[in-house]
Amino acid sequence: MDSLENLSKIYEKVYVLRLGHRPERDKRITTHVALVSRAFGANGFILEGICDNKVEESLIKASKSWGGKIDYMCNVNGKEFVKKWKEEGGEVINLTMYGLGVEDVIDKISSVPKKKLIIVGAEKVERFYYDNSDYNVAVGWQPHSEVAALAIFLDRLFKGRELLYNYRDAQYRIIPSKRGKKVERR
Ligand code: SAM
C-alpha cells in the first residue's frame, strides 16, 4: 500500500453520500466534506438532490494539482442510491450522533471487504437512512460537524494510513518542513 488511491481498494470502493446540501448555506461545508472525502482516501463523492458547480470545481482543482480521480455524481436520488448500493452487496454507514460508538463498531466494519457508502447529513436526516443503513455510527455523542465526523470515521477505517500517502498522479508534492513551504513539482 503505497499510494492514496489504493487505500479505498481495500474495500473495493469507499463513497461518501452528502445529503441535504443547501447551496446558499452549505457551499463551504459541502466543499469541505468533498475535499475531506478525497484527502482521506474515499474514491467517490455523491451529492444528493442537487448539483453545485462550486463543489465540483473545488474537487477538480484539488485533483488537478494534488492528484487522485474521485468519482463525482450530483442530483442523485439518495434513497435509490442506497437501495442499489445494498443490492450490489455494498455496506451503508450513516454518521449520526445518535448511533453506536465508532470505537465499538469500526473493527467489524473494517474487517469486511465490501464496498462502503458513508452518509453524512446537513440538517435533519430522514428516517429512511437510519432504517436502511447497516450501521448508524456516532463519532462521540455530541453534536458537531459532518466534516469532523467524516474525517475521523475515514481515519479509523483506514487506520491512519491515509495520512501517509500522496496520489500517484499528483503534480505537486509537499516536502515536509519544520518551517516554510516546500513543494516539489513532478
Ligand atoms: N442532530 C443532527 C444529527 O442527526 O446528527 C446533527 C446535524 S449535523 C449539523 C450534520 C451532520 O453531521 C449529521 O447528519 C451527521 O452526519 C454529522 N454529525 C454531527 N455530529 C455527529 C456525531 N457526533 N457523530 C457522527 N456524525 C455526526
Side-chain angles (χ1 to χ4, degrees), residues 30-68:
T30 300
T31 299
H32 290 179
V33 173
L35 292 176
V36 162
S37 304
R38 179 193 155 277
F40 284 63
N43 60 345
F45 179 78
I46 315 296
L47 200 50
E48 179 248 351
I50 199 164
C51 287
D52 187 325
N53 290 345
K54 289 275 174 242
V55 175
E56 187 177 9
E57 280 164 19
S58 301
L59 268 182
I60 291 171
K61 200 171 154 205
S63 292
K64 206 172 159 207
S65 298
W66 303 100

Side-chain angles (χ1 to χ4, degrees), residues 17-19 22 29 33 93-100 102 118-125 130 136-150 153:
L17 173 63
R18 171 30 159 189
L19 302 177
R22 299 153 297 180
I29 199 150
V33 173
I93 298 137
N94 178 35
L95 297 184
T96 163
M97 63 188 278
Y98 303 104
L100 301 176
V102 63
I118 304 159
I119 300 176
V120 292
E123 274 295 299
K124 198 171 158 46
V125 170
Y130 291 84
N136 288 292
V137 177
V139 178
W141 294 279
Q142 304 296 325
H144 47 80
S145 146
E146 47 273 53
V147 179
L150 179 64
F153 181 81

